[in-house]
Short mmCIF file of all heavy atoms in Angstrom, two decimals:
data_model
loop_
_atom_site.label_atom_id
_atom_site.label_comp_id
_atom_site.label_asym_id
_atom_site.label_seq_id
_atom_site.Cartn_x
_atom_site.Cartn_y
_atom_site.Cartn_z
N MET A 1 5.60 18.42 -4.20
CA MET A 1 6.93 18.46 -4.78
C MET A 1 6.80 18.37 -6.30
O MET A 1 6.05 17.57 -6.82
CB MET A 1 7.76 17.27 -4.25
CG MET A 1 9.16 17.28 -4.78
SD MET A 1 10.21 15.86 -4.33
CE MET A 1 9.61 15.33 -2.77
N LYS A 2 7.52 19.22 -6.98
CA LYS A 2 7.54 19.18 -8.44
C LYS A 2 8.77 18.42 -8.90
O LYS A 2 9.72 18.23 -8.12
CB LYS A 2 7.55 20.59 -9.02
CG LYS A 2 6.26 21.33 -8.78
CD LYS A 2 6.24 22.59 -9.58
CE LYS A 2 4.85 23.21 -9.46
NZ LYS A 2 4.60 24.18 -10.48
N ASN A 3 8.77 18.03 -10.15
CA ASN A 3 9.93 17.32 -10.67
C ASN A 3 10.06 17.49 -12.18
O ASN A 3 9.13 17.94 -12.83
CB ASN A 3 9.85 15.84 -10.29
CG ASN A 3 8.72 15.13 -10.99
OD1 ASN A 3 8.80 14.83 -12.17
ND2 ASN A 3 7.61 14.90 -10.27
N ARG A 4 11.22 17.13 -12.68
CA ARG A 4 11.51 17.21 -14.12
C ARG A 4 11.54 15.83 -14.76
O ARG A 4 12.11 15.65 -15.83
CB ARG A 4 12.86 17.90 -14.33
CG ARG A 4 12.92 19.32 -13.83
CD ARG A 4 14.30 19.94 -14.06
NE ARG A 4 14.79 19.70 -15.40
CZ ARG A 4 16.03 19.27 -15.68
NH1 ARG A 4 16.89 19.05 -14.73
NH2 ARG A 4 16.42 19.07 -16.93
N LEU A 5 10.96 14.86 -14.10
CA LEU A 5 11.06 13.48 -14.56
C LEU A 5 10.55 13.30 -15.99
O LEU A 5 11.20 12.64 -16.81
CB LEU A 5 10.30 12.58 -13.59
CG LEU A 5 10.71 11.12 -13.54
CD1 LEU A 5 12.17 10.97 -13.24
CD2 LEU A 5 9.89 10.40 -12.51
N LYS A 6 9.41 13.87 -16.29
CA LYS A 6 8.82 13.70 -17.63
C LYS A 6 9.74 14.29 -18.70
O LYS A 6 9.94 13.70 -19.76
CB LYS A 6 7.44 14.37 -17.68
CG LYS A 6 6.71 14.12 -18.97
CD LYS A 6 5.30 14.66 -18.91
CE LYS A 6 4.55 14.36 -20.18
NZ LYS A 6 3.14 14.78 -20.09
N VAL A 7 10.31 15.46 -18.42
CA VAL A 7 11.21 16.11 -19.38
C VAL A 7 12.47 15.27 -19.57
O VAL A 7 12.91 15.03 -20.71
CB VAL A 7 11.58 17.54 -18.89
CG1 VAL A 7 12.67 18.15 -19.76
CG2 VAL A 7 10.35 18.41 -18.87
N LEU A 8 13.06 14.83 -18.47
CA LEU A 8 14.27 14.02 -18.55
C LEU A 8 14.02 12.72 -19.30
O LEU A 8 14.84 12.27 -20.11
CB LEU A 8 14.81 13.74 -17.15
CG LEU A 8 15.31 14.96 -16.38
CD1 LEU A 8 15.57 14.61 -14.93
CD2 LEU A 8 16.55 15.54 -17.03
N ARG A 9 12.87 12.12 -19.02
CA ARG A 9 12.51 10.88 -19.72
C ARG A 9 12.33 11.14 -21.21
O ARG A 9 12.85 10.39 -22.06
CB ARG A 9 11.22 10.32 -19.10
CG ARG A 9 10.74 9.05 -19.75
CD ARG A 9 9.52 8.49 -19.03
NE ARG A 9 8.37 9.38 -19.00
CZ ARG A 9 7.57 9.63 -20.05
NH1 ARG A 9 7.81 9.04 -21.21
NH2 ARG A 9 6.54 10.44 -19.93
N ALA A 10 11.65 12.21 -21.56
CA ALA A 10 11.40 12.54 -22.96
C ALA A 10 12.71 12.85 -23.70
O ALA A 10 12.87 12.49 -24.87
CB ALA A 10 10.44 13.72 -23.06
N GLU A 11 13.65 13.51 -23.02
CA GLU A 11 14.94 13.82 -23.64
C GLU A 11 15.67 12.55 -24.06
O GLU A 11 16.47 12.57 -24.99
CB GLU A 11 15.82 14.62 -22.67
CG GLU A 11 15.38 16.04 -22.47
CD GLU A 11 16.17 16.77 -21.40
OE1 GLU A 11 17.00 16.13 -20.70
OE2 GLU A 11 15.97 17.98 -21.26
N ARG A 12 15.42 11.48 -23.35
CA ARG A 12 16.07 10.19 -23.66
C ARG A 12 15.20 9.29 -24.52
O ARG A 12 15.57 8.16 -24.79
CB ARG A 12 16.44 9.51 -22.35
CG ARG A 12 17.63 10.19 -21.70
CD ARG A 12 17.62 10.02 -20.21
NE ARG A 12 18.74 10.69 -19.58
CZ ARG A 12 18.76 11.97 -19.27
NH1 ARG A 12 17.73 12.74 -19.55
NH2 ARG A 12 19.82 12.51 -18.69
N ASP A 13 14.02 9.82 -24.89
CA ASP A 13 13.08 9.06 -25.71
C ASP A 13 12.68 7.75 -25.04
O ASP A 13 12.58 6.71 -25.70
CB ASP A 13 13.68 8.81 -27.10
CG ASP A 13 12.62 8.59 -28.15
OD1 ASP A 13 11.48 9.05 -27.94
OD2 ASP A 13 12.92 7.96 -29.17
N TRP A 14 12.50 7.81 -23.73
CA TRP A 14 12.08 6.64 -22.96
C TRP A 14 10.57 6.72 -22.72
O TRP A 14 10.02 7.80 -22.53
CB TRP A 14 12.75 6.59 -21.60
CG TRP A 14 14.23 6.35 -21.62
CD1 TRP A 14 14.99 5.95 -22.67
CD2 TRP A 14 15.12 6.50 -20.51
NE1 TRP A 14 16.30 5.84 -22.28
CE2 TRP A 14 16.41 6.16 -20.97
CE3 TRP A 14 14.96 6.86 -19.19
CZ2 TRP A 14 17.53 6.19 -20.14
CZ3 TRP A 14 16.07 6.89 -18.36
CH2 TRP A 14 17.34 6.55 -18.84
N THR A 15 9.94 5.57 -22.72
CA THR A 15 8.53 5.51 -22.32
C THR A 15 8.46 5.42 -20.80
O THR A 15 9.48 5.17 -20.13
CB THR A 15 7.85 4.27 -22.92
OG1 THR A 15 8.46 3.10 -22.34
CG2 THR A 15 7.98 4.23 -24.44
N GLN A 16 7.28 5.60 -20.27
CA GLN A 16 7.11 5.42 -18.83
C GLN A 16 7.44 3.98 -18.45
O GLN A 16 8.02 3.74 -17.39
CB GLN A 16 5.68 5.76 -18.41
CG GLN A 16 5.38 7.23 -18.43
CD GLN A 16 3.97 7.55 -17.93
OE1 GLN A 16 3.12 6.67 -17.89
NE2 GLN A 16 3.76 8.80 -17.54
N ALA A 17 7.13 3.05 -19.32
CA ALA A 17 7.44 1.64 -19.05
C ALA A 17 8.95 1.42 -19.02
O ALA A 17 9.45 0.65 -18.19
CB ALA A 17 6.79 0.75 -20.09
N ASP A 18 9.68 2.08 -19.92
CA ASP A 18 11.15 1.97 -19.93
C ASP A 18 11.72 2.46 -18.59
O ASP A 18 12.57 1.80 -17.99
CB ASP A 18 11.77 2.82 -21.05
CG ASP A 18 11.44 2.32 -22.44
OD1 ASP A 18 11.15 1.11 -22.60
OD2 ASP A 18 11.46 3.16 -23.37
N LEU A 19 11.25 3.63 -18.17
CA LEU A 19 11.74 4.21 -16.92
C LEU A 19 11.34 3.34 -15.73
O LEU A 19 12.15 3.10 -14.83
CB LEU A 19 11.21 5.64 -16.75
CG LEU A 19 11.67 6.37 -15.50
CD1 LEU A 19 13.20 6.43 -15.42
CD2 LEU A 19 11.09 7.78 -15.47
N ALA A 20 10.11 2.86 -15.75
CA ALA A 20 9.65 2.00 -14.66
C ALA A 20 10.53 0.75 -14.54
O ALA A 20 10.91 0.35 -13.45
CB ALA A 20 8.20 1.60 -14.90
N GLY A 21 10.87 0.17 -15.68
CA GLY A 21 11.72 -1.01 -15.68
C GLY A 21 13.11 -0.71 -15.12
O GLY A 21 13.67 -1.50 -14.36
N ALA A 22 13.66 0.44 -15.49
CA ALA A 22 14.99 0.83 -15.01
C ALA A 22 14.98 1.10 -13.51
O ALA A 22 16.01 0.91 -12.84
CB ALA A 22 15.48 2.05 -15.77
N LEU A 23 13.85 1.56 -13.01
CA LEU A 23 13.75 1.89 -11.58
C LEU A 23 13.16 0.76 -10.75
O LEU A 23 13.08 0.87 -9.52
CB LEU A 23 12.89 3.16 -11.40
CG LEU A 23 13.44 4.44 -12.01
CD1 LEU A 23 12.42 5.55 -11.92
CD2 LEU A 23 14.75 4.84 -11.33
N ASP A 24 12.70 -0.29 -11.43
CA ASP A 24 12.07 -1.43 -10.76
C ASP A 24 10.82 -1.00 -9.98
O ASP A 24 10.63 -1.35 -8.82
CB ASP A 24 13.07 -2.12 -9.83
CG ASP A 24 12.63 -3.53 -9.46
OD1 ASP A 24 11.88 -4.14 -10.24
OD2 ASP A 24 13.03 -4.01 -8.38
N VAL A 25 10.01 -0.17 -10.64
CA VAL A 25 8.71 0.24 -10.11
C VAL A 25 7.68 0.05 -11.21
O VAL A 25 8.02 -0.25 -12.35
CB VAL A 25 8.71 1.72 -9.63
CG1 VAL A 25 9.71 1.93 -8.51
CG2 VAL A 25 8.98 2.67 -10.79
N SER A 26 6.42 0.25 -10.90
CA SER A 26 5.38 0.10 -11.91
C SER A 26 5.29 1.36 -12.79
O SER A 26 5.71 2.44 -12.37
CB SER A 26 4.02 -0.15 -11.25
OG SER A 26 3.59 1.03 -10.59
N ARG A 27 4.73 1.19 -13.98
CA ARG A 27 4.52 2.34 -14.86
C ARG A 27 3.58 3.33 -14.19
O ARG A 27 3.72 4.53 -14.33
CB ARG A 27 3.94 1.87 -16.20
CG ARG A 27 3.86 2.99 -17.24
CD ARG A 27 2.92 2.66 -18.37
NE ARG A 27 1.56 2.37 -17.95
CZ ARG A 27 0.67 3.30 -17.54
NH1 ARG A 27 1.01 4.56 -17.52
NH2 ARG A 27 -0.54 2.95 -17.17
N GLN A 28 2.63 2.81 -13.43
CA GLN A 28 1.70 3.69 -12.72
C GLN A 28 2.43 4.56 -11.70
O GLN A 28 2.05 5.71 -11.48
CB GLN A 28 0.61 2.85 -12.03
CG GLN A 28 -0.36 2.21 -13.00
CD GLN A 28 0.14 0.90 -13.61
OE1 GLN A 28 1.23 0.43 -13.29
NE2 GLN A 28 -0.64 0.31 -14.50
N THR A 29 3.45 4.02 -11.07
CA THR A 29 4.24 4.81 -10.12
C THR A 29 4.95 5.94 -10.84
O THR A 29 4.94 7.09 -10.38
CB THR A 29 5.26 3.91 -9.39
OG1 THR A 29 4.55 2.92 -8.63
CG2 THR A 29 6.16 4.72 -8.47
N VAL A 30 5.55 5.64 -11.98
CA VAL A 30 6.22 6.69 -12.77
C VAL A 30 5.22 7.76 -13.16
O VAL A 30 5.48 8.96 -13.03
CB VAL A 30 6.91 6.09 -14.01
CG1 VAL A 30 7.39 7.19 -14.95
CG2 VAL A 30 8.06 5.18 -13.60
N ASN A 31 4.05 7.34 -13.63
CA ASN A 31 3.01 8.29 -14.03
C ASN A 31 2.60 9.17 -12.85
O ASN A 31 2.47 10.40 -12.99
CB ASN A 31 1.80 7.52 -14.57
CG ASN A 31 0.74 8.44 -15.10
OD1 ASN A 31 1.01 9.30 -15.93
ND2 ASN A 31 -0.47 8.28 -14.61
N ALA A 32 2.40 8.57 -11.69
CA ALA A 32 1.98 9.34 -10.51
C ALA A 32 3.06 10.33 -10.08
O ALA A 32 2.74 11.47 -9.69
CB ALA A 32 1.64 8.39 -9.37
N ILE A 33 4.32 9.93 -10.16
CA ILE A 33 5.41 10.86 -9.80
C ILE A 33 5.46 12.01 -10.81
O ILE A 33 5.58 13.17 -10.42
CB ILE A 33 6.76 10.11 -9.75
CG1 ILE A 33 6.77 9.09 -8.61
CG2 ILE A 33 7.92 11.11 -9.60
CD1 ILE A 33 7.96 8.16 -8.62
N GLU A 34 5.38 11.69 -12.09
CA GLU A 34 5.43 12.73 -13.11
C GLU A 34 4.31 13.75 -12.95
O GLU A 34 4.50 14.93 -13.18
CB GLU A 34 5.34 12.12 -14.52
CG GLU A 34 6.61 11.44 -14.96
CD GLU A 34 6.53 10.92 -16.39
OE1 GLU A 34 5.47 11.04 -17.04
OE2 GLU A 34 7.55 10.40 -16.84
N LYS A 35 3.14 13.29 -12.55
CA LYS A 35 1.99 14.19 -12.39
C LYS A 35 1.95 14.86 -11.03
O LYS A 35 1.04 15.64 -10.75
CB LYS A 35 0.70 13.43 -12.64
CG LYS A 35 0.55 12.99 -14.08
CD LYS A 35 -0.78 12.33 -14.33
CE LYS A 35 -0.89 11.95 -15.79
NZ LYS A 35 -1.85 12.70 -16.52
N GLY A 36 2.92 14.55 -10.18
CA GLY A 36 2.97 15.16 -8.85
C GLY A 36 1.95 14.60 -7.88
O GLY A 36 1.69 15.20 -6.84
N LYS A 37 1.38 13.44 -8.21
CA LYS A 37 0.39 12.83 -7.33
C LYS A 37 1.03 11.96 -6.27
O LYS A 37 0.38 11.52 -5.34
CB LYS A 37 -0.58 11.98 -8.16
CG LYS A 37 -1.45 12.80 -9.09
CD LYS A 37 -2.40 11.91 -9.85
CE LYS A 37 -3.30 12.76 -10.76
NZ LYS A 37 -4.18 11.94 -11.56
N PHE A 38 2.31 11.66 -6.45
CA PHE A 38 3.02 10.78 -5.54
C PHE A 38 4.46 11.28 -5.40
O PHE A 38 5.11 11.57 -6.40
CB PHE A 38 3.02 9.35 -6.10
CG PHE A 38 3.83 8.36 -5.34
CD1 PHE A 38 3.41 7.87 -4.12
CD2 PHE A 38 5.05 7.91 -5.84
CE1 PHE A 38 4.17 6.94 -3.42
CE2 PHE A 38 5.81 6.99 -5.15
CZ PHE A 38 5.37 6.51 -3.93
N ASP A 39 4.91 11.43 -4.17
CA ASP A 39 6.30 11.81 -3.93
C ASP A 39 7.12 10.54 -3.73
O ASP A 39 6.74 9.68 -2.92
CB ASP A 39 6.42 12.69 -2.68
CG ASP A 39 5.83 14.07 -2.89
OD1 ASP A 39 5.76 14.52 -4.04
OD2 ASP A 39 5.43 14.69 -1.89
N PRO A 40 8.22 10.41 -4.44
CA PRO A 40 9.01 9.19 -4.30
C PRO A 40 9.67 9.12 -2.94
O PRO A 40 9.93 10.14 -2.30
CB PRO A 40 10.06 9.33 -5.41
CG PRO A 40 10.21 10.79 -5.59
CD PRO A 40 8.84 11.37 -5.35
N SER A 41 9.94 7.90 -2.51
CA SER A 41 10.70 7.72 -1.27
C SER A 41 12.12 8.24 -1.51
O SER A 41 12.54 8.43 -2.66
CB SER A 41 10.76 6.23 -0.91
OG SER A 41 11.51 5.53 -1.89
N LEU A 42 12.83 8.48 -0.44
CA LEU A 42 14.21 8.97 -0.59
C LEU A 42 15.08 7.96 -1.35
O LEU A 42 15.81 8.36 -2.26
CB LEU A 42 14.80 9.30 0.79
CG LEU A 42 16.11 10.07 0.77
CD1 LEU A 42 16.02 11.34 -0.04
CD2 LEU A 42 16.54 10.38 2.20
N PRO A 43 15.00 6.65 -1.04
CA PRO A 43 15.78 5.70 -1.83
C PRO A 43 15.42 5.73 -3.31
O PRO A 43 16.31 5.63 -4.17
CB PRO A 43 15.43 4.34 -1.20
CG PRO A 43 15.06 4.67 0.21
CD PRO A 43 14.35 5.99 0.12
N LEU A 44 14.13 5.88 -3.63
CA LEU A 44 13.74 5.94 -5.04
C LEU A 44 14.24 7.22 -5.69
O LEU A 44 14.70 7.22 -6.83
CB LEU A 44 12.22 5.81 -5.18
CG LEU A 44 11.67 5.85 -6.61
CD1 LEU A 44 12.33 4.78 -7.49
CD2 LEU A 44 10.15 5.68 -6.60
N ALA A 45 14.21 8.33 -4.96
CA ALA A 45 14.73 9.60 -5.49
C ALA A 45 16.22 9.48 -5.80
O ALA A 45 16.70 9.96 -6.83
CB ALA A 45 14.47 10.73 -4.51
N PHE A 46 16.96 8.82 -4.92
CA PHE A 46 18.39 8.60 -5.17
C PHE A 46 18.59 7.71 -6.40
O PHE A 46 19.50 7.94 -7.20
CB PHE A 46 19.08 7.97 -3.95
CG PHE A 46 19.56 8.98 -2.94
CD1 PHE A 46 18.91 9.12 -1.73
CD2 PHE A 46 20.66 9.78 -3.21
CE1 PHE A 46 19.34 10.05 -0.79
CE2 PHE A 46 21.11 10.71 -2.28
CZ PHE A 46 20.44 10.85 -1.07
N LYS A 47 17.75 6.72 -6.54
CA LYS A 47 17.85 5.82 -7.69
C LYS A 47 17.60 6.58 -9.00
O LYS A 47 18.31 6.39 -9.99
CB LYS A 47 16.81 4.69 -7.53
CG LYS A 47 17.08 3.46 -8.30
CD LYS A 47 16.13 2.35 -7.83
CE LYS A 47 16.42 1.04 -8.52
NZ LYS A 47 15.54 -0.03 -8.06
N VAL A 48 16.62 7.48 -8.98
CA VAL A 48 16.32 8.31 -10.15
C VAL A 48 17.53 9.20 -10.46
O VAL A 48 17.96 9.32 -11.61
CB VAL A 48 15.07 9.17 -9.91
CG1 VAL A 48 14.91 10.21 -11.01
CG2 VAL A 48 13.82 8.30 -9.79
N ALA A 49 18.10 9.79 -9.43
CA ALA A 49 19.25 10.68 -9.61
C ALA A 49 20.44 9.92 -10.21
O ALA A 49 21.12 10.43 -11.12
CB ALA A 49 19.63 11.31 -8.28
N ARG A 50 20.68 8.73 -9.72
CA ARG A 50 21.79 7.92 -10.26
C ARG A 50 21.52 7.56 -11.72
O ARG A 50 22.42 7.61 -12.56
CB ARG A 50 21.98 6.65 -9.44
CG ARG A 50 22.75 6.86 -8.16
CD ARG A 50 23.19 5.54 -7.54
NE ARG A 50 22.09 4.65 -7.24
CZ ARG A 50 21.40 4.66 -6.09
NH1 ARG A 50 21.73 5.51 -5.13
NH2 ARG A 50 20.40 3.82 -5.90
N LEU A 51 20.28 7.20 -12.03
CA LEU A 51 19.92 6.81 -13.39
C LEU A 51 20.16 7.96 -14.37
O LEU A 51 20.72 7.76 -15.45
CB LEU A 51 18.47 6.36 -13.44
CG LEU A 51 17.94 5.92 -14.81
CD1 LEU A 51 18.68 4.66 -15.27
CD2 LEU A 51 16.45 5.66 -14.74
N PHE A 52 19.76 9.16 -13.98
CA PHE A 52 19.92 10.32 -14.87
C PHE A 52 21.26 11.02 -14.68
O PHE A 52 21.55 12.00 -15.37
CB PHE A 52 18.77 11.31 -14.66
CG PHE A 52 17.45 10.82 -15.21
CD1 PHE A 52 16.43 10.43 -14.36
CD2 PHE A 52 17.24 10.73 -16.57
CE1 PHE A 52 15.22 9.97 -14.86
CE2 PHE A 52 16.04 10.28 -17.09
CZ PHE A 52 15.02 9.89 -16.23
N GLU A 53 22.06 10.54 -13.71
CA GLU A 53 23.38 11.12 -13.43
C GLU A 53 23.27 12.62 -13.14
O GLU A 53 24.02 13.43 -13.69
CB GLU A 53 24.35 10.85 -14.58
CG GLU A 53 24.58 9.37 -14.80
CD GLU A 53 25.54 9.06 -15.95
OE1 GLU A 53 25.71 9.92 -16.83
OE2 GLU A 53 26.09 7.96 -15.95
N LEU A 54 22.29 12.94 -12.30
CA LEU A 54 22.05 14.33 -11.90
C LEU A 54 21.85 14.38 -10.39
O LEU A 54 21.43 13.40 -9.78
CB LEU A 54 20.78 14.86 -12.58
CG LEU A 54 20.82 15.04 -14.08
CD1 LEU A 54 19.41 15.30 -14.61
CD2 LEU A 54 21.75 16.19 -14.45
N PRO A 55 22.12 15.54 -9.78
CA PRO A 55 21.81 15.68 -8.36
C PRO A 55 20.29 15.63 -8.14
O PRO A 55 19.52 16.08 -9.01
CB PRO A 55 22.36 17.07 -8.00
CG PRO A 55 23.15 17.53 -9.15
CD PRO A 55 22.75 16.72 -10.34
N ILE A 56 19.88 15.10 -7.01
CA ILE A 56 18.45 15.01 -6.70
C ILE A 56 17.77 16.37 -6.83
O ILE A 56 16.68 16.47 -7.39
CB ILE A 56 18.25 14.44 -5.28
CG1 ILE A 56 18.57 12.95 -5.26
CG2 ILE A 56 16.81 14.66 -4.80
CD1 ILE A 56 18.46 12.32 -3.88
N GLU A 57 18.43 17.41 -6.33
CA GLU A 57 17.80 18.73 -6.34
C GLU A 57 17.62 19.32 -7.74
O GLU A 57 16.88 20.29 -7.90
CB GLU A 57 18.56 19.71 -5.43
CG GLU A 57 19.98 19.97 -5.84
CD GLU A 57 20.98 18.99 -5.23
OE1 GLU A 57 20.57 17.90 -4.80
OE2 GLU A 57 22.16 19.34 -5.21
N SER A 58 18.26 18.74 -8.74
CA SER A 58 18.02 19.22 -10.10
C SER A 58 16.88 18.44 -10.76
O SER A 58 16.46 18.77 -11.87
CB SER A 58 19.29 19.13 -10.94
OG SER A 58 19.61 17.79 -11.22
N ILE A 59 16.38 17.42 -10.08
CA ILE A 59 15.25 16.65 -10.59
C ILE A 59 13.98 16.94 -9.79
O ILE A 59 12.92 17.17 -10.35
CB ILE A 59 15.55 15.13 -10.53
CG1 ILE A 59 16.80 14.81 -11.35
CG2 ILE A 59 14.35 14.33 -11.04
CD1 ILE A 59 17.30 13.40 -11.18
N PHE A 60 14.12 16.94 -8.47
CA PHE A 60 12.98 17.18 -7.58
C PHE A 60 13.19 18.49 -6.84
O PHE A 60 14.29 18.78 -6.38
CB PHE A 60 12.86 16.03 -6.56
CG PHE A 60 12.68 14.69 -7.19
CD1 PHE A 60 13.77 13.84 -7.35
CD2 PHE A 60 11.44 14.27 -7.63
CE1 PHE A 60 13.61 12.59 -7.94
CE2 PHE A 60 11.28 13.03 -8.23
CZ PHE A 60 12.37 12.19 -8.38
N PHE A 61 12.14 19.27 -6.73
CA PHE A 61 12.26 20.53 -6.01
C PHE A 61 10.94 20.91 -5.35
O PHE A 61 9.86 20.53 -5.80
CB PHE A 61 12.74 21.66 -6.94
CG PHE A 61 12.08 21.69 -8.28
CD1 PHE A 61 10.97 22.48 -8.49
CD2 PHE A 61 12.55 20.91 -9.32
CE1 PHE A 61 10.35 22.51 -9.73
CE2 PHE A 61 11.92 20.92 -10.55
CZ PHE A 61 10.83 21.72 -10.76
N ASP A 62 11.09 21.66 -4.28
CA ASP A 62 9.94 22.10 -3.50
C ASP A 62 9.16 23.13 -4.30
O ASP A 62 9.73 24.01 -4.94
CB ASP A 62 10.44 22.71 -2.19
CG ASP A 62 9.32 23.03 -1.23
OD1 ASP A 62 8.16 22.72 -1.51
OD2 ASP A 62 9.65 23.58 -0.17
N GLU A 63 7.86 23.03 -4.27
CA GLU A 63 7.02 23.97 -5.01
C GLU A 63 7.15 25.40 -4.50
O GLU A 63 6.87 26.34 -5.21
CB GLU A 63 5.56 23.54 -4.94
CG GLU A 63 5.31 22.22 -5.62
CD GLU A 63 3.88 21.76 -5.50
OE1 GLU A 63 2.99 22.57 -5.77
OE2 GLU A 63 3.67 20.61 -5.14
N GLN A 64 7.58 25.56 -3.26
CA GLN A 64 7.67 26.89 -2.68
C GLN A 64 9.00 27.57 -2.94
O GLN A 64 9.18 28.72 -2.62
CB GLN A 64 7.43 26.82 -1.17
CG GLN A 64 6.04 26.34 -0.86
CD GLN A 64 5.79 26.19 0.62
OE1 GLN A 64 6.68 26.36 1.42
NE2 GLN A 64 4.56 25.86 0.98
N SER A 65 9.95 26.84 -3.53
CA SER A 65 11.26 27.46 -3.81
C SER A 65 11.34 27.94 -5.22
O SER A 65 10.51 27.78 -6.02
CB SER A 65 12.38 26.48 -3.52
OG SER A 65 12.23 25.30 -4.28
#
């Protein structure tokens, strides 16, 4: 699964630590999601969507679509 997390974070001038704190996850988790090494759980994906006030599908998308 690909995502726009790094771009969205950069647009807000947030560090990975800032985003991790807002999501209540570790900075390593944010890094792994941004690099596509880890797919977030559905509850975490919803939390990300609420934080950025965007639909999930505009943040996370299937690599085949």
Side-chain angles (χ1 to χ4, degrees):
M1 182 185 331
K2 292 191 172 198
N3 67 75
R4 298 180 47 227
L5 203 56
K6 186 173 182 175
V7 172
L8 294 169
R9 179 176 60 75
E11 287 174 353
R12 286 152 181 84
D13 205 23
W14 293 349
T15 65
Q16 287 183 341
D18 294 335
L19 181 57
L23 297 173
D24 198 26
V25 298
S26 70
R27 187 198 58 74
Q28 290 83 2
T29 297
V30 170
N31 185 53
I33 294 171
E34 285 184 357
K35 292 184 179 249
K37 293 181 178 177
F38 174 74
D39 290 335
S41 66
L42 192 54
L44 180 55
F46 273 108
K47 201 170 184 178
V48 170
R50 280 193 302 272
L51 180 65
F52 288 109
E53 299 179 338
L54 292 168
I56 287 177
E57 62 271 20
S58 71
I59 301 171
F60 301 98
F61 44 94
D62 188 4
E63 295 178 49
Q64 296 177 355
S65 58

